[in-house]
Amino acid sequence: MSGPHARSAHADPLDGDVEEALALANGGRSGPRPDDAPTPPPAPTAPASPRTRSSAPAHPERDRQPAPPGARPAPDTPHAPHGAHGHGEGTSWTAARRAAARAGRSAAEHRARTARAAQHPAPAPPPRTAEPRVSAALAASAVDALDAIAPVPVDENQLPLPGLPFADHTPPPAPPAAEPAATEPARIPPGATSSPLDEALGLVLAAPLTALTDLPSFDTSAMDGWVVAGPGPWDVRDEGILAGHEPPPRLSDGEAAAIATGARIPPDTTAVIRSEHGHLDDQGRLHPRRDVTHGQDIRPRGQECRSGEPLLPAGSVVTPAVLGLAAAAGYDELVVVERPRVDVLVLGDELLTSGRPRDGLIRDALGPMLPHWLRALGVEVTAVRRLGDDPKALLKAVRKSTADLVVTTGGTASGPVDHVHPTLRALDAELLVNGVAVRPGHPMLLARLDEGRHLVGLPGNPLAAVSGLLTLAEPLLRELSGRAGHQEPYSAPLHTAVHGHPGDTRLVPVVVRQDEGSGHEWAVPLRYNGPAMLRGIAAADALAVIPPGGAQEGQEVEILDLPWSWGSR
């Protein structure tokens, strides 16, 4: 069967003949197609795999536009042949990053549309799409309130304030009716979700953070000491005031009470006198050691914010400090952009998962490395699978994946066991970037698997894979996770000159150091920067973007921070 209906006989390779699907994707067809052009025999350097017909043939003409059947190149994106290694061939590095960012925006918009359709379903059955990930349970979880915190009784383990012990009693808990009603949950925008505070770190706010209460919500003591009313000296009450207890009674003029930091201030209070700024005479009267000003060491209600006041805009990254602010402002959950889900597929029969390299086998360096870097980009790594060089396993894994992004390692060139391109053709994927004019990492690729779902194919060499991660995966995930405005590009002068490729951009590991004399930051290139080397990137803070032809000492170059950069800056 040929032509546009050739795929109907095996619409789901998982349910049919996987090898047949791959063979057809590689050109094993019974009839001509309108877009086929005569092609020379396969190059001897890239023979078909002796084990299967599913390896990519080395036909540069076929790999140029128009694309092979099922692989639809984006009309506005330049492409390179699968095995091209000429100077400057392939999508330019900056164009590749722009294409990846567009793909991320498209995926984010699809996520929002899918969620909106789930909230307002149409009468007709919806088209086959990814399952929306905003569950109905979110609304229920958003209104759960924390139990009231019971006041802590004073006991022998608590130190009294200077000169006056606290009464040993446990105040009764506030009646349930006095507890404020649960706050109306914030509206969840399409494509967002509600996350408990302890799971929101590193995510991005999908809605503004607005104060749910005044902060502080009552006048409170900023210091341990005494709270006083009127002019002194003051008669000191027998009982002090602790944080978390029932409201204290009003003080009369000339009266004082010992108070702890964070405790409520009685009505009509003049000031708080710090422990070190007051003393008690023989009659137990309080005297100040310095002048007392009205309102000193009192945090008035609403000093930090008023209820309803905006605290942070949508798009802010949830840091530990944001979690603290949200908790203080009354939040149990935050409305955040959903964390993108990523599956990692590690390819290669030569890879070991333990022990030393031996007998032509090497250790898998990408399996341990990539998932953590992806998590640092704000994603959930849902699977890490080692598939070897099995085309059937690769096709099944990609077809079964429901992740927003599939990341493969190796298999992106046109050798006998490079199965990524045949798999994409079998899946009718749309190639958005097919080779990038960058070293290392030239044979990286980006494809749209389905509406809102993509695949990034990384080269198998470790440093080349890192290059592909920052060139294609990072811009896509930044858009999809809502971080588009959080990474401003910056540059630094090179400490030493760097040789360049005649036609391609180079990404070189560097450490960023401050010059003690001038105070300026310099990018210091690292020596071990070959495609298969990790020694340089392990010591690096970032990658320097070296333009074609190289860069001279002192020349400003763009700097790409690594997802986790633990070097000193």
Side-chain angles (χ1 to χ4, degrees), residues 45 63 119 215 345 363 379 423 482 518:
T45 55
D63 291 337
Q119 294 171 357
L215 283 184
L345 307 179
R363 280 294 298 273
V379 310
T423 297
S518 65

Side-chain angles (χ1 to χ4, degrees), residues 163-498:
L164 185 68
F166 288 110
D168 187 5
H169 71 284
T170 303
E179 194 69 23
T183 306
E184 183 72 18
R187 181 184 300 274
I188 299 178
T193 187
S194 182
S195 173
L197 291 186
D198 60 358
E199 299 176 9
L201 183 65
L203 298 179
V204 174
L205 293 178
L209 189 70
T210 303
L212 302 181
T213 182
D214 295 343
L215 283 184
S217 56
F218 47 83
D219 293 345
T220 181
S221 176
M223 293 288 171
D224 292 337
W226 297 269
V227 59
V228 299
W234 301 273
D235 294 322
V236 181
R237 287 181 178 176
D238 293 335
E239 294 184 358
I241 305 171
L242 289 175
H245 286 231
E246 59 187 354
R250 184 187 303 271
L251 293 175
S252 302
D253 282 352
E255 194 175 19
I259 194 167
T261 301
R264 296 188 188 187
I265 295 293
D268 301 327
T269 293
T270 301
V272 169
I273 299 176
R274 301 185 187 190
S275 300
E276 62 271 25
H277 294 166
H279 72 94
L280 298 174
D281 61 20
D282 294 340
Q283 286 75 40
R285 291 169 60 82
L286 175 66
H287 297 264
R289 297 183 185 274
R290 57 180 62 186
D291 292 341
V292 177
T293 59
H294 193 277
Q296 72 181 25
D297 289 325
I298 294 176
R299 293 187 63 209
R301 176 173 182 167
Q303 182 186 49
E304 186 170 0
C305 64
R306 289 292 184 181
S307 179
E309 184 177 341
L311 301 177
L312 290 171
S316 301
V317 175
V318 179
T319 64
V322 171
L323 292 176
L325 175 62
Y331 284 86
D332 300 329
E333 297 179 333
L334 293 176
V335 177
V336 293
V337 178
E338 287 189 279
R339 198 185 295 273
R341 298 173 300 163
V342 178
D343 285 350
V344 179
L345 307 179
V346 181
L347 312 181
D349 287 342
E350 74 280 12
L351 300 178
L352 295 169
T353 58
S354 62
R356 299 178 183 179
R358 63 182 184 275
D359 303 328
L361 303 177
I362 61 174
R363 280 294 298 273
D364 169 28
L366 298 179
M369 178 174 66
L370 288 179
H372 295 292
W373 260 338
L374 287 164
R375 292 186 185 103
L377 294 175
V379 310
E380 176 189 358
V381 178
T382 49
V384 179
R385 301 181 60 190
R386 292 174 172 85
L387 303 180
D389 288 319
D390 186 339
K392 296 181 182 180
L394 176 60
L395 179 58
K396 287 184 177 182
V398 177
R399 283 298 302 268
K400 288 177 65 177
S401 173
T402 59
D404 300 295
L405 177 66
V406 176
V407 175
T408 62
T409 68
T412 56
S414 56
V417 291
D418 290 329
H419 303 304
V420 174
H421 281 95
T423 297
L424 294 176
R425 290 193 286 270
L427 297 175
D428 197 24
E430 180 182 2
L431 279 171
L432 303 178
V433 175
N434 186 14
V436 179
V438 66
R439 305 300 168 120
H442 184 276
M444 67 180 73
L445 61 85
L446 169 64
R448 180 181 290 114
L449 298 173
D450 199 354
E451 189 71 20
R453 297 182 58 247
H454 295 82
L455 181 145
V456 167
L458 303 179
N461 278 326
L463 186 56
V466 175
S467 172
L469 178 74
L470 295 185
T471 299
L472 296 178
E474 188 271 339
L476 186 153
L477 293 172
R478 189 173 65 242
E479 294 283 347
L480 186 55
S481 63
R483 297 167 176 253
H486 291 284
Q487 185 173 355
E488 296 296 330
Y490 74 100
S491 62
L494 286 172
H495 188 265
T496 56
V498 177

Side-chain angles (χ1 to χ4, degrees), residues 6 10 75 78 103 143 157 372 429 438 460 568:
H10 54 282
V143 297
N157 296 320
H372 295 292
V438 66
S568 59

